[in-house]
Amino acid sequence: MTSQEIKALTGQYVMNTYGRFPVAIDHGEGARLYDPEGNEYIDFTSGIGVTDLGYGYQPWVDAVAAQAKKLSHVSNLFYTEPAALLAQTLCRRTGESCVFFANGGGEANEGMIKLARKYSFDKYGKGRATIITLNNSFHGRTITTLMATGQEVFHNYFFPFTEGFRYADANDLASLEAAAGDDVCAVMVELVQGEGGVLPLDKAYVQAVAQLCAERDWLLLADEVQTGVGRTGSLFAFQQYGVLPDVVSFAKGIAGGLPMSGIMASEKCRGVLGPGTHATTFGANPVCAAAGLVVQETLTDEFLEEVKAKGAYLREQIEALDLPCFGKTRGMGLMIGIEVKEGYNKGDIAAKLIENGLLVLTAGPGMRLLPPLVITKEEMDKGLAIMKKALA
């Protein structure tokens, strides 16, 4: 099919819930994508942080094909090797104790919220179920995770929302204390606020929150849906903050392009969700888990150091372009935000870059870049050249 035919068919039969750019994608290689007509795009989005190994990565392709031929699905009433091995790898690399596998980020965060509330219920009974989240946060699109999201714009249309959330300002311990109370069971944070604009939390603040949680027996919940799986230059962002959260959610890049997510829990939370308290049909899918094992094998310590170096290079080069529409950059690893100066529109900038062959994202008031972690210097330089040509 041609691009126009694909767009027309989508418009006729798919719900119009996305503000799509006028590009149809047919195939990819490395950090490059192509439309049906063969036009090339440098990908600085990786499917919003999902295709961390890029496109056509042969070990990933081979593992997915082999597992699909062997076993595509079996329910969680039975055991499978890929999920067991992936859970072992994640726990050994993070210091967490156990894993629950799910399918998407919102579902993972729902599981994390349920675990926190049951932990408190088991220990203290009813009346201690409130979770403090941060203003400007984003935690998902379900009824509950929309309310967990600390942005009022999301609290509309779908009433009644789930109760039990209060909000505090990021990097402000006094604000967190003001939101506290005897009804609190947990604090939930994104270590880098992604949708809010790629805003890293301060290390001292995160450590202070972890200490406060330990003192009051609140659970520290880390939403690493976007920051996890190598995106920030460590396997999980919390490893750069010197804390071990009680529960961590993950998704996006965990299976390199297939739908998978989950939560990891610490030893004290190991037994909270017992048989019958939480479940999902497709979680721990063996094909996704086999893909996830390739991701873990690829993300060695040396590879993760390269992610940090690539991120530093991109940020340095973007600022060196001195483009009239861009200010400072921020972020961690290959999770990069760019300030958009007053008088410029982030959506217009994104459209212009995409028109010229560079796929980018927006977030909060600025731009967001999430390139595949395997992106080469040549591909980065080509993307930078497109920026200069389109925006200078």
Side-chain angles (χ1 to χ4, degrees), residues 1-240:
M1 296 176 68
T2 67
S3 291
Q4 286 304 116
E5 289 170 337
I6 293 169
K7 287 185 277 187
L9 204 62
T10 301
Q12 185 175 357
Y13 292 107
V14 177
M15 286 189 187
N16 185 28
T17 60
Y18 301 102
R20 301 179 195 266
F21 292 104
V23 177
I25 301 299
D26 181 72
H27 64 280
E29 182 179 352
R32 301 168 190 248
L33 290 167
Y34 300 86
D35 66 16
E37 289 71 39
N39 296 305
E40 180 185 271
Y41 298 86
I42 300 297
D43 183 18
F44 277 14
T45 73
S46 58
I48 316 183
V50 172
T51 50
D52 42 11
L53 302 184
Y55 308 96
Y57 185 69
Q58 200 58 51
W60 183 92
V61 172
D62 292 343
V64 168
Q67 184 59 49
K69 185 176 181 180
K70 183 179 180 182
L71 179 70
S72 63
H73 174 77
V74 65
S75 83
N76 283 304
L77 298 177
F78 306 97
Y79 300 90
T80 63
E81 180 179 323
L85 290 174
L86 183 56
Q88 177 191 54
T89 301
L90 289 169
C91 289
R92 287 183 172 178
R93 296 190 70 181
T94 61
E96 298 290 354
S97 181
C98 56
V99 178
F100 174 88
F101 288 115
N103 307 283
E107 184 186 356
N109 284 337
E110 285 265 357
M112 186 158 65
I113 290 164
K114 287 177 68 176
L115 190 154
R117 288 179 171 169
K118 187 171 184 297
Y119 171 86
S120 191
F121 178 88
D122 290 346
K123 204 166 180 181
Y124 302 100
K126 290 183 177 180
R128 195 177 186 271
T130 297
I131 296 173
I132 301 173
T133 69
L134 300 183
N135 289 321
N136 209 45
S137 63
F138 181 82
H139 295 295
R141 295 281 185 174
T142 67
I143 294 292
T144 297
T145 55
L146 280 172
M147 202 60 196
T149 293
Q151 299 184 57
E152 190 59 33
V153 67
F154 289 102
H155 305 158
N156 201 4
Y157 307 123
F158 311 111
F159 304 101
F161 285 96
T162 307
E163 298 178 350
F165 297 95
R166 284 201 293 274
Y167 313 103
D169 292 336
N171 297 320
D172 186 340
L173 204 61
S175 178
L176 183 65
E177 286 277 19
D182 294 337
D183 60 339
V184 171
C185 68
V187 178
M188 184 172 174
V189 300
E190 297 169 281
L191 295 166
V192 183
Q193 293 185 326
E195 297 290 336
V198 191
L199 305 168
L201 298 186
D202 295 338
K203 186 174 182 178
Y205 170 77
V206 173
Q207 293 182 342
V209 172
Q211 180 63 34
L212 191 64
C213 287
E215 291 170 359
R216 302 189 185 183
D217 199 23
W218 301 342
L219 295 190
L220 176 60
L221 312 179
D223 175 350
E224 294 237 26
V225 166
Q226 190 167 156
T227 56
V229 199
R231 176 56 53 188
T232 64
S234 52
L235 190 60
F236 286 88
F238 75 77
Q239 294 169 309
Q240 297 184 56

Side-chain angles (χ1 to χ4, degrees), residues 260-290:
M260 192 178 211
S261 70
I263 56 176
M264 299 183 290
S266 65
E267 186 61 31
K268 81 173 184 178
C269 296
R270 166 182 281 276
V272 174
L273 295 178
T277 61
H278 195 49
T280 179
T281 296
F282 292 102
N285 174 271
V287 179
C288 296

Side-chain angles (χ1 to χ4, degrees), residues 49 134 146 276 299 305 332 381:
L134 300 183
L146 280 172
L299 303 189
E305 286 300 316
M332 294 172 63
D381 286 343

